[in-house]
Amino acid sequence: MHDHYESVVQFRSRKGTLSANFPKDVSGIDPEKLRLRYKATVEDDSYMQELDAITAFALPRFGQARDEGRRMAAEIEADIRLEPVGVLPLRKSEGYLFLHWSSHPETHIFYFTATLFTGAYTGHRQIRTSYLESARKSLGTTFESLKRDLIRRQPHLPNPATFLVEAKRAVPLEETFLPMARQLVARVAGDSGEGA
């Protein structure tokens, strides 16, 4: 939603800049401000007028939906905690994510890598994930033992950054929990001061 909102704002801004740069004819004098009045020589066609009407209609609604989404995300994020599993390595741009609901014994395990964005979001980290497996947490199966087992089975990653992301309430995994976990890990991976 944020991207749609920003696209409409940019469109309107660029259209306004373009319209301001078209030649204008003098249409009179404003005696109060002692300025010339201008009339545009190029008028918007019906297509552009329709686009203006659509953007004027859509922009406030995009803004409301974006603000509501931010409010909901803040509420959900308040119920999510991120903590390292074991000791974190200096290089935090690759490792494992353990997604766990407090009220459920199952933990979803993902491999992650952090890369730098290019383009509009230069300098920000993007977290890419791939699902590995699910495991049941119990007295004998702790998050630390899950990490040790992954290190044993994945020798190409001997010292992975591993994070537990735990939610107090049940939220959809793919639509909500995983994207929010990616954002939290991106903040931590961005603090490492390393390149991609």
Side-chain angles (χ1 to χ4, degrees), residues 33-51:
K33 296 182 182 176
L34 299 174
R35 292 188 178 177
L36 296 174
R37 281 190 236 151
Y38 295 94
K39 179 182 176 190
T41 57
V42 178
E43 296 291 326
D44 284 345
D45 62 6
S46 62
Y47 176 73
M48 290 307 288
Q49 289 172 355
E50 185 69 22
L51 274 177

Side-chain angles (χ1 to χ4, degrees), residues 47-64:
Y47 176 73
M48 290 307 288
Q49 289 172 355
E50 185 69 22
L51 274 177
D52 284 342
I54 290 169
T55 58
F57 174 81
L59 194 58
R61 285 157 182 80
F62 279 155
Q64 290 171 349

Side-chain angles (χ1 to χ4, degrees), residues 125-181:
R125 296 236 175 224
Q126 176 184 25
I127 304 298
R128 295 178 186 217
T129 56
S130 58
Y131 176 78
L132 293 177
E133 61 187 43
S134 292
R136 293 184 76 76
K137 183 181 178 296
S138 65
L139 290 176
T141 307
T142 64
F143 296 121
E144 290 78 9
S145 67
L146 290 172
K147 178 180 177 178
R148 281 192 305 272
D149 185 51
L150 286 168
I151 291 170
R152 183 181 50 76
R153 290 185 291 136
Q154 309 282 339
H156 71 282
L157 198 56
N159 190 19
T162 306
F163 297 99
L164 167 64
V165 186
E166 187 169 23
K168 291 179 185 173
R169 62 173 131 161
V171 292
L173 177 68
E174 293 289 329
E175 297 84 359
T176 306
F177 198 15
L178 183 58
M180 294 195 86

Side-chain angles (χ1 to χ4, degrees), residues 7-16 48 51-52 55:
S7 294
V8 173
V9 169
Q10 275 187 350
F11 169 78
R12 290 183 77 177
S13 172
R14 289 178 181 163
K15 183 182 179 295
M48 290 307 288
L51 274 177
D52 284 342
T55 58

Side-chain angles (χ1 to χ4, degrees), residues 72-161:
M72 290 172 63
E75 283 178 15
I76 293 169
E77 189 173 328
D79 289 339
I80 294 177
R81 72 181 172 95
L82 171 77
E83 65 181 45
V85 176
V87 178
L88 274 181
L90 292 176
R91 186 172 172 267
K92 297 179 248 179
S93 62
E94 184 177 29
Y96 302 108
L97 280 178
F98 295 170
L99 273 57
H100 180 77
W101 291 276
S102 300
S103 60
H104 196 274
E106 194 161 18
T107 299
H108 299 281
I109 301 171
F110 292 82
Y111 166 77
F112 81 88
T113 57
T115 59
L116 284 176
F117 268 115
T118 56
Y121 299 103
T122 301
H124 290 81
R125 296 236 175 224
Q126 176 184 25
I127 304 298
R128 295 178 186 217
T129 56
S130 58
Y131 176 78
L132 293 177
E133 61 187 43
S134 292
R136 293 184 76 76
K137 183 181 178 296
S138 65
L139 290 176
T141 307
T142 64
F143 296 121
E144 290 78 9
S145 67
L146 290 172
K147 178 180 177 178
R148 281 192 305 272
D149 185 51
L150 286 168
I151 291 170
R152 183 181 50 76
R153 290 185 291 136
Q154 309 282 339
H156 71 282
L157 198 56
N159 190 19

